[in-house]
Amino acid sequence: MATAIYPGSFDPVTLGHVDVIERAAAIFEHVTVLVSVNLTKPHFFTITEREGYLRRAVCGIPNVTVTSHSGLLADYLRRSSASIIVKGIRAISDFEYEFQMAQVNKVLCETARTVFIPADEKYTFLSSSVVRQVGLLGGNIDTFVPNCVASDISAALLRRAVLTEG
Ligand code: PNS
């Protein structure tokens, strides 16, 4: 089985992302988690921070690596000779946008094929934006993000909340 690329903003990584990574790692020989830019959203954490949190979150999964890319996913696919893109789907409402993206990527890179992996239903509500909002307002994010990075993400969010207030 081939290498699959799992691209996303991961701003920051959530337990829902890790669930999709684990599922993909059980299907594909290798999974590359690709921290990418999404021009439709302002990113809160830097690409280096996002990559660092992710790397710590998946260090126990042997066939998963983490890297980053600041250009088009299609260009990354061409350069790495990979063709499979993994996308996690939390609810049917995710599908319309992801289906459009799958088509765009196929137009930009003819060999690209997108595989949709449903996240566990217990993560349907969970998103990076929920983590940011709860954490910035001083709430507990321990059940939203991997244990090994929870206190660092929480501290980083609180630091920035204080800076913004000041
Ligand atoms: O976690 P997200 O924000 O839903 O992930 C979206 C992401 C980063 C996978 C998507 O925006 C992306 O592929 N970005 C790389 C640039 C690109 O190729 N965009 C698609 C062409 S419109």
Side-chain angles (χ1 to χ4, degrees):
M1 268 294 220
T3 287
I5 311 294
Y6 177 35
S9 301
F10 307 108
D11 192 28
V13 59
T14 70
L15 286 172
H17 294 134
V18 175
D19 177 62
V20 170
I21 293 167
E22 284 170 344
R23 286 165 195 257
I27 298 169
F28 298 100
E29 192 174 308
H30 187 85
V31 177
T32 300
V33 183
L34 190 67
V35 182
S36 308
V37 285
N38 183 342
L39 292 180
T40 68
K41 306 175 180 170
H43 295 306
F44 189 88
F45 290 101
T46 66
I47 205 160
T48 311
E49 287 171 315
R50 289 183 271 145
E51 199 180 333
Y53 293 137
L54 250 170
R55 202 164 270 142
R56 287 162 61 191
V58 301
C59 67
I61 316 175
N63 58 335
V64 173
T65 52
V66 178
T67 190
S68 58
H69 178 63
S70 55
L72 280 173
L73 176 58
D75 289 339
Y76 182 89
L77 291 175
R78 251 192 304 276
R79 268 207 300 278
S80 64
S81 318
S83 57
I84 299 165
I85 303 166
V86 163
K87 287 296 187 84
I89 299 287
R90 286 166 301 186
I92 199 70
S93 50
D94 284 341
F95 187 72
E96 201 171 331
Y97 173 76
E98 293 300 350
F99 187 60
Q100 182 189 17
M101 284 301 109
Q103 289 171 312
V104 170
N105 283 317
K106 192 161 173 292
V107 169
L108 295 177
C109 175
E110 208 181 296
T111 53
R113 296 290 179 272
T114 300
V115 173
F116 299 105
I117 297 189
D120 190 293
E121 63 202 26
K122 67 176 180 267
Y123 299 124
T124 305
F125 72 95
L126 186 54
S127 67
S128 297
S129 125
V130 163
V131 172
R132 291 195 305 273
Q133 288 192 53
V134 173
L136 280 167
L137 295 171
N140 189 330
I141 58 164
D142 288 1
T143 52
F144 300 161
V145 300
N147 198 31
C148 61
V149 289
S151 58
D152 285 356
I153 292 175
S154 184
L157 288 168
L158 280 175
R159 236 181 356 255
R160 272 164 234 200
V162 171
L163 286 177
T164 312
E165 275 173 22

